[in-house]
Amino acid sequence: MDKVVTQADGRISRAAVECAFCGLYGICKLAGLEQPEEQTLLDYMVSRREPIPQGGCLFNAGDPFQELFAVKSGSFKTYAVLESGREQVIGFHFPGELIGVEAIAAGRYPYTVKALESASVCRLELQRMALSGEQQASFQEQLIAAMSRRAQQEQWVPLLMGAQTAEQRIALFLLSVACRFAVRDLPSGEFRLPMSRSDIANYLGLAVETISRMLQRFQNQRLLVVHGRNLRLRNLSGIRSLAGIGPLTTTPMPLAGVE
Amino acid sequence: MDKVVTQADGRISRAAVECAFCGLYGICKLAGLEQPEEQTLLDYMVSRREPIPQGGCLFNAGDPFQELFAVKSGSFKTYAVLESGREQVIGFHFPGELIGVEAIAAGRYPYTVKALESASVCRLELQRMALSGEQQASFQEQLIAAMSRRAQQEQWVPLLMGAQTAEQRIALFLLSVACRFAVRDLPSGEFRLPMSRSDIANYLGLAVETISRMLQRFQNQRLLVVHGRNLRLRNLSGIRSLAGIGPLTTTPMPLAGVE
DNA sequence: CGGGCTGTTGAATACATTCAAGCCCCGTGG
DNA sequence: CCACGGGGCTTGAATGTATTCAACAGCCCG
């Protein structure tokens, strides 16, 4: 079941989501499959963009909203540069996940999005929605569903915030990542954390050193195996216990079946 | 400009949002105003529910999704009961804000919502959307916009999580509340925190005592005035500086004009 | 009046951060 | 080819901060 591509040197390849598990799938399907001969809709609304190199920006804070993105492969971080000059990581984005929904109403992207590794995205130009005529309704319905799923996913965040110890917080973070991979049918037992320790620290409000120490501790407790940014979760229910959410399920997202 | 209703004993009355600043307004307007003589749509889709007493539940975790809510007056907290038995506060909901969007796609509410004070809500039965025929498109458009605004608002949360000290975190929390009030045209310089200290502590991942101590410290620094749950912000840019986001704007939500 | 709940305050402990040093990997340039 | 240097990551010891434990004040409600 695990689709991990472990290479000779033990490194894990960049993940890419299957279209069937992408946040935009319902929309792609509408545009492409429902009208087999008429590919125009797909071409208008959903298109692939040229790959983005590591460190490349999808857009910057303040840019006018033009399109919604879904990560096809690779990963991103979103961050804001605060007036104080501090850079605050807002979140990470993995294959299949939507980027930019916050900008639909506001008309501007409120943060900057940077590729953590070479990555590719599908994009959806909402402006062209009007062109789709009668399909508009089902199109919008799909978008609403996608945004709702995204909101559901975001529930990990307050859970993370509620953690009282660094141990809890990091355990929860790992679980949230694994869960997000699992939902998209990506390998969730063994994967690569594409972001630096300092990105994680910034995101979680901890010191970089604490991340190192805790991962080390987890490894000593046989809960997981760390090789740089590569991670293998060995004892999921153990990690869950540390995270303070008890061995299984009843959590925001279906943690059941992660392994 | 401040609509604070300060009563004889110094207590601040329960806030209620004007319809024009409600998250469901676009939808209400569509349903009620665009077809002046036909109120049926409004009746079908948007309706007021009987007031909910303090401590009353809007719905429980696991309940099947039936409707979307918007807070009309009062306030709510959402929380999950983890397998470990611990109760984790997920968030708070103030007048004008939407409740339940996470459940649209999943079909079940993933958390429990409890009234922090006697409160009232407007509800929207999404199932009846199909009845609206040609208005469906603009209806969905409004819903998409509402969900986008909500996503934008949620950006406070990662900011809160990124805070490294209790001082920062609490300052950010106060700002986020003030900002959410301001957006709905509710008094944001002087208001009542409807939740207990322990709810705040749980939400922020801090100890109850820390909340007390910090509020006290802020008061000593003349940044604000605390009277139990009533709060008056005296030096907004001071609080912002403590929060680590610099004196003004460029933050997730238009902090400009909070005062 | 007593009990429970919420909130505050004080002292000891535990925890995460900070500061400092060193390692590893990798790309650069001698 | 190897030396150098930088970034990312780890590890150790000292500091500082938040938690914990405990006690108490205020308030609502029975």
Side-chain angles (χ1 to χ4, degrees), chain B:
Chain B
M1 185 191 184
D2 256 10
K3 295 187 180 175
V4 184
V5 182
T6 305
Q7 293 163 349
D9 55 358
R11 293 168 75 185
I12 299 173
S13 73
R14 220 178 71 247
V17 73
E18 299 288 334
C19 282
F21 291 96
C22 174
L24 282 180
Y25 180 59
I27 294 166
C28 281
K29 194 176 154 199
L30 265 181
L33 302 183
E34 306 265 277
Q35 286 192 316
E37 71 278 4
E38 190 166 350
Q39 284 286 79
T40 56
L41 203 56
L42 182 74
D43 295 335
Y44 273 133
M45 303 198 310
V46 182
S47 57
R48 206 65 56 81
R49 251 184 57 168
E50 70 279 6
I52 295 148
Q54 177 172 26
C57 281
L58 201 51
F59 51 76
N60 284 282
D63 285 357
F65 173 72
Q66 284 168 337
E67 42 204 7
L68 214 53
F69 298 93
V71 181
K72 175 63 183 171
S73 67
S75 51
F76 296 85
K77 71 169 174 179
T78 63
Y79 64 91
V81 179
L82 305 176
E83 209 187 334
S84 57
R86 198 170 65 87
E87 184 176 298
Q88 176 60 54
V89 173
I90 305 288
F92 303 106
H93 302 272
F94 300 121
E97 298 182 344
L98 258 43
I99 300 180
V101 300
E102 297 86 352
I104 297 176
R108 301 199 161 275
Y109 299 106
Y111 43 62
T112 300
V113 178
K114 187 173 283 190
L116 291 166
E117 52 196 327
S118 86
S120 61
V121 297
C122 293
R123 63 180 188 178
L124 173 66
E125 298 184 56
L126 283 194
Q127 300 307 330
R128 308 237 174 137
M129 263 172 48
L131 297 179
S132 63
E134 72 159 21
Q135 281 194 320
Q136 192 177 21
S138 39
F139 171 86
Q140 289 175 327
E141 201 173 311
Q142 291 298 329
L143 183 53
I144 290 167
M147 288 174 76
S148 172
R149 281 191 297 270
R150 187 179 175 285
Q152 193 188 8
Q153 189 72 260
E154 292 293 328
Q155 284 179 108
W156 277 105
V157 182
L159 221 57
L160 277 164
M161 193 168 57
Q164 303 214 351
T165 67
E167 189 179 57
Q168 274 194 353
R169 192 163 293 186
I170 294 171
L172 278 169
F173 174 73
L174 296 179
L175 288 175
S176 77
V177 172
C179 178
R180 286 160 73 180
F181 280 133
V183 166
R184 309 294 180 179
D185 199 40
L186 296 167
S188 62
E190 186 169 8
F191 52 85
R192 178 180 167 79
L193 289 174
M195 71 294 283
S196 69
R197 298 283 193 269
S198 107
D199 281 336
I200 300 177
N202 182 305
Y203 178 64
L204 296 178
L206 299 171
V208 195
E209 294 92 327
T210 308
I211 310 290
S212 272
R213 279 188 254 266
M214 287 298 160
L215 287 180
Q216 206 52 47
R217 182 193 292 185
F218 290 171
Q219 180 161 254
N220 293 340
Q221 296 173 214
R222 307 277 158 180
L223 295 173
L224 46 78
V225 182
V226 207
H227 279 320
R229 296 188 178 184
N230 292 338
L231 218 58
R232 203 165 95 79
L233 307 183
R234 299 183 61 186
N235 181 351
L236 221 40
S237 59
I239 299 178
R240 283 207 200 82
S241 301
L242 275 194
I245 56 175
L248 203 44
T249 52
T250 6
T251 29
M253 281 301 288
L255 278 184
V258 169
E259 202 163 40

Side-chain angles (χ1 to χ4, degrees), chain A residues 165-166 205-207 209-210 213-214:
Chain A
T165 67
L206 299 171
E209 296 93 326
T210 308
R213 280 188 253 268
M214 286 299 160

Side-chain angles (χ1 to χ4, degrees), chain A residues 49 52 55-70 76-79 93 98-104 108-115 121-123 150, chain B residues 155:
Chain A
R49 252 185 56 171
I52 295 148
C57 280
L58 200 51
F59 52 75
N60 284 281
D63 286 356
F65 173 71
Q66 284 167 338
E67 40 205 6
L68 214 52
F69 297 94
F76 295 86
K77 72 168 173 180
T78 63
Y79 64 91
H93 301 272
L98 259 44
I99 300 181
V101 300
E102 297 85 353
I104 297 176
R108 300 201 162 273
Y109 299 107
Y111 43 64
T112 300
V113 178
K114 187 171 282 189
V121 297
C122 293
R123 63 178 188 180
R150 186 179 175 288
Chain B
Q155 284 179 108

